[in-house]
Amino acid sequence: MSFKFQGFDFLHLDPSFTEDELLVRRTTRDFVEDNVIPIIEACFREGRFPRQLVPPMGELGFFGANLEGYGCAGMSNVEYGLVMQELERGDSGLRSFVSVQSALVMYPIYTFGSDEQKDAWLPALARGEKIGCFGLTEPGFGSNPGGMTTTARKVGGEYILNGEKMWITNGSIADVAVIWAKVQDEAVPTGSAVRGFLVETARPGFHAHEIHGKWSLRASLTSGLSLQDVHIPAANLLPGSSGLKSPLMCLNQARYGIGWGAIGAAMACYDTALQYARARKQFHGQPIASHQLIQQKLVWMVSEISKAQLLSLHVGRLKDAGTAGHEHISLAKRNNVWMALESARMARDILGANGITDDYPIMRHMMNLESVNTYEGTHDIHTLILGQHITGIAAY
Ligand code: TGC
Ligand code: FAD
């Protein structure tokens, strides 16, 4: 059983949004209600990504939504954030798909790519006709991607790539992989800078294998990538990429969207718990919502979701004004995912035994949020990023 979502606007924030922002939110919410909610529990149970949703999401302009031109919707960052919020109210896996395609594949092509690369990839990625993935993490280097061992050796007019990437969303269905590797150039013997490369996944030596056995993000595909002597033309280097800063700039875009997305997951859990608590009766025929301890949990969720909304809206306005620092984005990602995970745990408790079943969306959100807490910089890595910003001392 699931309850129809009632919306969440405790602080009367809706007048703070423009008409266009509210239209984007309504359109995405309707899409999720009509296309995601009816199928998502089955997809999660079967460990299946609902690929049939990719073309309609392309038509709605969800891919590369905050980019201009190349068939992209040219949304503001607040509008893009609201899309992420609504998608993640459906499922973190769906938001992940859009995050990777938009922030981690289209954004680096848009920002670091040549005109030829942009023309070749961006329109097809925007329509969802092509799918991309982002290969930064390696088996031995997760929180510390600067230690990566994947190499790109320049030989004549080609680069030859070797290495392993791990935990790569969409890896096994991608047409193109944005691979981050350390360049070995005979002409520049001391150079080992991290650069980005566009690797067509059909190239010999490129293999992707799906990672099974996940209890989280089961409606999303996660893969390991192996690159063994993969030859690519030198023109596949992203010419504007330079050093670890480049992939970290992509992560800022994705982390910003996750900050909003986590609010959506928390709203789904809170709304389910509230409706359940009003209907469920225990002791003297009274709804459990009449008990103080249940109310305390609901009030915690309302407080924290409201604060998270204010935080993401403010960071979004800063981003639209061009003044958001990566520390602001870390603050939003860290706080909002923590808040959503705590909300999911409280909401699960309110549903008692029913809370552990997939008759309700809470346990699925809770399991998904464990991944969201880890990827794009773990909760603790964002603590250290903020600690470094405040003190000027890196404590990694
Ligand atoms: P560090 O020396 O601090 O920095 C290297 C250069 O980058 C600059 N920088 C940033 N620039 C832009 N945005 C940021 N967020 C930046 N953070 C740092 C920095 O100023 C420096 O610039 P320059 O000019 O001096 O060269 O680098 P470090 O090696 O000490 O590492 C810093 C640390 C730990 C914060 C970083 O490595 C980190 O963020 N680690 C977490 C890794 C991570 O988040 N991985 C995510 C992989 S992708 C993923 O999870 C996708 S999930 C997909 C889905 O949504 O489904
Ligand atoms: P580790 O880095 O080994 O960390 C383990 C623990 O140690 C954590 O608690 C961490 O906080 C802690 N820790 C590490 N260093 C320190 C320190 N200096 N001080 C204190 N504590 C520390 N990556 C991609 O590149 N592309 C993708 O598309 C992608 N998709 C993903 C999808 C899923 C479902 C998941 C789960 C991960 C995905 N990732 C992806 C990888 C993700 O970014 C990494 O898992 C994440 O960065 C953490 O790395 P790790 O798992 O190796 O953990």
Side-chain angles (χ1 to χ4, degrees):
M1 178 183 175
S2 69
F3 300 109
K4 174 106 175 117
F5 180 60
Q6 297 178 328
F8 184 103
D9 188 20
F10 181 79
L11 283 177
H12 296 192
L13 278 175
D14 277 1
S16 308
F17 293 107
T18 65
E19 297 257 316
D20 283 350
E21 288 163 353
L22 292 174
L23 177 63
V24 164
R25 187 180 72 184
R26 191 160 58 246
T27 306
T28 315
R29 189 169 291 180
D30 289 348
F31 170 80
V32 168
E33 280 301 316
D34 295 346
N35 299 282
V36 180
I37 302 297
I39 62 164
I40 196 63
E41 298 297 345
C43 290
F44 192 89
R45 203 179 305 144
E46 293 157 20
R48 176 165 53 83
F49 169 64
R51 193 168 176 169
Q52 71 275 18
L53 298 182
V54 174
M57 288 198 291
E59 278 168 33
L60 286 167
F62 292 170
F63 303 134
N66 56 350
L67 304 178
E68 298 276 353
Y70 303 97
C72 300
M75 290 185 197
S76 71
N77 285 293
V78 171
E79 288 167 347
Y80 168 72
L82 288 167
V83 169
M84 295 294 159
Q85 172 186 292
E86 295 304 316
L87 289 176
E88 194 144 1
R89 187 179 68 78
D91 191 77
S92 302
L94 200 65
R95 197 270 308 137
S96 263
F97 182 90
V98 179
S99 282
V100 169
Q101 182 90 346
S102 304
L104 299 181
V105 177
M106 295 176 70
Y107 171 84
I109 297 173
Y110 186 87
T111 308
F112 309 123
S114 64
D115 287 344
E116 292 74 20
Q117 290 167 339
K118 292 178 199 180
D119 290 337
W121 288 107
L122 289 177
L125 288 162
R127 289 192 296 269
E129 286 167 14
K130 298 285 183 193
I131 292 173
C133 68
F134 177 87
L136 180 66
T137 305
E138 300 186 355
F141 298 95
S143 296
N144 178 26
M148 71 175 68
T149 58
T150 298
T151 55
R153 189 158 49 92
K154 181 105 187 287
V155 180
E158 288 188 328
Y159 284 97
I160 305 172
L161 273 66
N162 279 285
E164 304 284 327
K165 297 289 177 183
M166 190 63 182
W167 303 110
I168 307 304
T169 302
N170 301 339
S172 49
I173 52 168
D175 301 286
V176 63
V178 175
I179 296 291
W180 299 93
K182 284 183 176 163
V183 171
Q184 299 171 330
D185 189 336
E186 283 155 14
V188 192
T190 53
S192 65
V194 172
R195 310 286 303 264
F197 297 88
L198 297 180
V199 181
E200 298 89 348
T201 57
R203 288 192 180 271
F206 183 98
H207 300 283
H209 69 274
E210 203 179 321
I211 298 172
H212 295 288
K214 291 182 298 169
W215 288 116
S216 177
L217 284 185
R218 289 181 55 76
S220 166
L221 292 165
T222 318
S223 311
L225 308 181
S226 162
L227 295 101
Q228 295 172 334
D229 286 333
V230 179
H231 289 240
I232 56 170
N236 282 23
L237 166 74
L238 289 171
S241 67
S242 171
L244 190 62
K245 193 181 179 73
S246 299
L248 292 176
M249 285 169 65
C250 304
L251 297 185
N252 291 339
Q253 309 306 312
R255 291 167 176 173
Y256 167 76
I258 289 172
W260 280 96
I263 299 171
M267 284 176 174
C269 294
Y270 164 76
D271 189 70
T272 304
L274 174 62
Q275 297 197 51
Y276 186 90
R278 281 181 172 146
R280 173 74 174 167
K281 294 192 172 66
Q282 288 292 291
F283 291 99
H284 323 298
Q286 295 298 313
I288 58 171
S290 68
H291 300 301
Q292 291 177 353
L293 290 174
I294 297 285
Q295 291 189 5
Q296 187 271 339
K297 293 183 179 76
L298 293 169
V299 168
W300 191 94
M301 288 186 251
V302 167
S303 305
E304 294 301 328
I305 294 170
S306 298
K307 288 192 270 180
Q309 283 180 307
L310 286 170
L311 177 56
S312 275
L313 178 57
H314 183 69
V315 174
R317 296 281 184 237
L318 290 183
K319 201 166 184 306
D320 278 328
T323 54
H326 67 77
E327 64 279 4
H328 301 133
I329 291 169
S330 280
L331 186 73
K333 192 273 183 185
R334 177 182 182 275
N335 179 78
N336 292 6
V337 177
W338 162 78
M339 172 286 292
L341 199 43
E342 291 297 309
S343 295
R345 288 170 180 154
M346 284 185 195
R348 209 294 302 153
D349 181 79
I350 289 173
L351 266 72
N354 276 322
I356 72 161
T357 71
D358 65 5
D359 288 342
Y360 299 90
I362 295 173
M363 194 84 180
R364 174 171 53 81
H365 281 299
M366 189 199 297
M367 292 193 287
N368 282 340
L369 287 163
E370 290 291 345
S371 283
V372 182
N373 195 56
T374 286
Y375 68 35
E376 295 282 1
T378 67
H379 183 86
D380 286 346
I381 288 296
H382 286 291
T383 306
L384 298 179
I385 290 172
L386 289 164
Q388 179 180 8
H389 183 77
I390 294 164
T391 66
I393 304 166
Y396 306 108

